[in-house]
Amino acid sequence: MKSLTDPSQALSTGLAKIRTEFHVPDGFAADAMAAAEAAARRVPNHHADRTGMPFVTLDPATSTDLDQAFWIEASGGDLLLYYAIADVAWFVEDGDALDREAWTRGETLYLPDGKAGLYPPAIAEGAASLLPDGPRPAAIFTVRVAGDGAVKLDGAERAIIQSRAKLAYDSVKASDVPAGFAEMARRMAANEERRDASRVDPPEQEVERLADGSFRLSFRPLLQSEQDNAALSLAANMAIADAMLAHKTGLFRVMSGPDASKVQGLRNAAQALGLFWPASTNLRDYQRTLDPADPKQAALMLEIRRAGNGASYQPYHEGVVPWHEAMAATYAHATAPLRRLADRYVVRCALAIANGQQVPQAVTDAFAGLPKVMGRADARASQINHAAIDLAEAVMLRGREGETFKAVVTDFVDHGVRVQLADMPVVATVKASGLRQGDGVTLKLASADPDQRSIVFEPV
């Protein structure tokens, strides 16, 4: 990890430029703010009292828009996951100012210097957020997890909950979470193996703002606490997806896998990186052996992610089983309604199904329009993330033109190769030929321009 020295404020200036370039919303219109303030004062009256259940949350330490809280208890050989999801639909009504604004945004946008929320702070970081500073309305989904990791939705209800603790990924201890937390994560991981799931979590290149106001660029692998927490979300999303599919309705997250030619390309990449991939081992099995802490294996994990087809949203269609290849399962997004528009409607759909009610027509209608809206929002979020990283790399390297750097070739691009610097969290493309994946190279920095968000290396 590298801190960014930026006395000229090039990073701050560049981030402001990114916000303008990608039309990142700056606050909310007056009608949306007024609607949020009014909604925050609504007193829940369709909710059971579950404040006696010892829910906790687990998120990044600085997060205040908390979508999920959980509790786990044993039920014979099964584990019962009580997964409380922020009841955003209690505060947002179909067609009101909050709803209209959310449909224009699609999702919360995250930048190193702050986020542009899907909903105003009075809702997202106040009345709807599952913070431990007071009772909150939520939708509690009861998910039964069997010994082999199979999941089933046992029930759902709107309820008032009281979180007991706001736990953080980087400081949580085993004694802080319910006793079945680690066992549930183990069951879900074992079930992934049985399903031949091909999900990969390579280290992510990210720009992070520190407590002192400075920034840091890093390749950050997921902490074990993050992986275990993700298993709870996975269990809830899969159980909800199965319930929707059984009732022939819903909105699903789908993705197809790489074709045969791309898999062969990945085998070539593994060979070039000096990694042994037995001919008898398929991609799904092989990638589960990869270690993100090893630079060459992490590079291949990134290649595997790029080789797959992107995930998208798909409403239910008669006779079609929606499938997410990386999950090797029918899958949905339901667990982050404060940050993703689609989740609010999936939660409403699942609540209706679990309680024997008809899915509201407004929800069914929304499923038809959400794929386009969410696709556009996902694309913009990805573009903003890449732009912020390109900017941070240029700021980090500015003033070091003429210096040489060691790097490793990770893959091929048009008219050159992609490289990762050996001693800095920087990825770049270089015009070069005659190189193979895994080759070590020495590069000279020709230019670093934060204004253009560009860096140029030349082979030595």
Side-chain angles (χ1 to χ4, degrees):
M1 293 184 282
K2 298 287 184 179
S3 294
L4 305 181
T5 302
D6 185 28
S8 66
Q9 300 296 304
L11 187 62
S12 298
T13 300
L15 289 171
K17 183 178 177 181
I18 288 171
R19 288 176 176 272
T20 300
E21 180 180 338
F22 292 99
H23 306 289
V24 177
D26 182 15
F28 288 85
D31 61 343
M33 291 294 287
E37 295 292 342
R41 295 191 292 269
R42 291 187 67 190
V43 178
N45 56 15
H46 288 73
H47 298 70
D49 183 355
R50 299 290 180 257
T51 53
M53 298 179 70
F55 284 100
V56 296
T57 62
L58 180 56
D59 297 273
T62 57
S63 292
T64 52
D65 49 348
L66 309 186
D67 287 287
Q68 316 108 13
F70 63 92
W71 180 248
I72 301 168
E73 64 182 19
S75 175
D78 297 339
L79 292 174
L80 290 181
L81 167 64
Y82 298 99
Y83 207 68
I85 301 175
D87 191 2
V88 179
W90 176 251
F91 300 98
V92 182
E93 297 184 355
D94 295 323
D96 71 5
L98 293 174
D99 185 48
R100 293 194 302 271
E101 183 66 21
W103 274 83
T104 67
R105 299 186 180 215
E107 64 184 63
T108 295
L109 298 174
Y110 293 93
L111 288 89
D113 59 347
K115 64 190 175 190
L118 179 62
Y119 301 104
I123 299 297
E125 300 172 57
S129 179
L130 303 183
L131 292 161
D133 58 357
R136 294 290 195 278
I140 301 177
F141 291 91
T142 303
V143 180
R144 182 173 295 273
V145 182
D148 63 357
V151 299
K152 178 179 179 294
L153 185 63
D154 264 13
E157 64 175 353
R158 294 179 110 170
I160 301 298
I161 71 162
Q162 171 66 65
S163 173
R164 297 298 195 268
K166 180 179 182 292
L167 307 176
Y169 290 136
D170 59 1
S171 61
V172 65
K173 303 184 297 293
S175 58
D176 297 331
V177 294
F181 182 68
E183 170 61 15
M184 181 164 289
R186 186 200 66 76
R187 292 185 184 191
M188 293 304 297
N191 189 263
E192 281 196 278
E193 288 195 27
R194 275 188 292 274
R195 298 196 316 269
D196 274 342
S198 56
R199 185 166 58 97
V200 293
D201 293 309
E204 294 288 353
Q205 194 180 17
E206 66 177 19
V207 186
E208 175 188 10
R209 189 170 195 169
L210 305 179
D212 62 3
S214 65
F215 295 88
R216 181 170 62 196
L217 178 65
S218 64
F219 281 112
R220 191 184 69 82
L222 291 181
L223 297 171
Q224 187 62 49
S225 58
E226 291 178 271
Q227 296 179 52
D228 291 350
N229 194 48
L232 307 188
S233 181
L234 177 62
N237 283 327
M238 287 177 57
I240 289 171
D242 287 344
M244 291 193 300
L245 181 60
H247 286 77
K248 299 185 176 182
T249 185
L251 183 71
F252 302 90
R253 193 70 167 157
V254 297
M255 187 180 81
S256 58
D259 59 27
S261 64
K262 288 184 178 180
V263 172
Q264 185 57 52
L266 291 171
R267 284 188 175 274
N268 295 340
Q271 184 177 8
L273 288 165
L275 303 175
F276 177 61
W277 182 348
S280 59
T281 303
N282 62 32
L283 173 61
R284 286 175 176 157
D285 290 340
Y286 178 66
Q287 67 185 5
R288 284 200 292 265
T289 71
L290 297 176
D291 179 3
D294 179 271
K296 291 188 175 183
Q297 296 183 57
L300 185 61
M301 292 173 76
L302 288 169
E303 285 305 299
I304 293 171
R305 173 169 287 185
R306 280 192 285 264
N309 298 301
S312 61
Y313 290 88
Q314 176 182 302
Y316 173 79
H317 294 294
E318 182 67 36
V320 177
V321 176
W323 195 251
H324 195 294
E325 181 67 19
M327 301 295 183
T330 298
Y331 182 68
H333 273 168
T335 57
L338 287 172
R339 291 171 280 160
R340 290 188 302 247
L341 172 64
D343 297 41
R344 169 159 56 99
Y345 293 93
V346 173
V347 167
R348 290 175 66 186
C349 177
L351 276 170
I353 289 171
N355 291 283
Q357 301 167 357
Q358 186 171 353
V359 176
Q361 188 60 46
V363 172
T364 301
D365 292 343
F367 288 158
L370 281 166
K372 182 177 180 179
V373 172
M374 297 305 298
R376 184 170 62 242
D378 284 348
R380 179 166 68 158
S382 178
Q383 291 168 345
I384 289 170
N385 182 60
H386 287 304
I389 289 171
D390 290 344
L391 170 65
E393 290 178 335
V395 170
M396 177 181 287
L397 291 167
R398 184 182 53 175
R400 302 185 65 176
E401 291 84 351
E403 293 186 29
T404 58
F405 300 82
K406 299 293 185 183
V408 175
V409 176
T410 58
D411 68 336
F412 299 101
V413 295
D414 290 341
H415 310 298
V417 293
R418 182 179 285 112
V419 301
Q420 180 178 319
L421 298 194
D423 298 318
M424 301 179 77
V426 172
V427 175
T429 58
V430 179
K431 291 183 178 179
S433 59
L435 295 171
R436 300 173 303 171
Q437 287 169 301
D439 281 352
V441 293
T442 301
L443 304 172
K444 182 177 73 173
L445 180 64
S447 68
D449 186 347
D451 189 54
Q452 298 297 318
R453 301 195 295 267
S454 72
I455 53 176
V456 178
F457 286 98
E458 298 172 347
V460 174

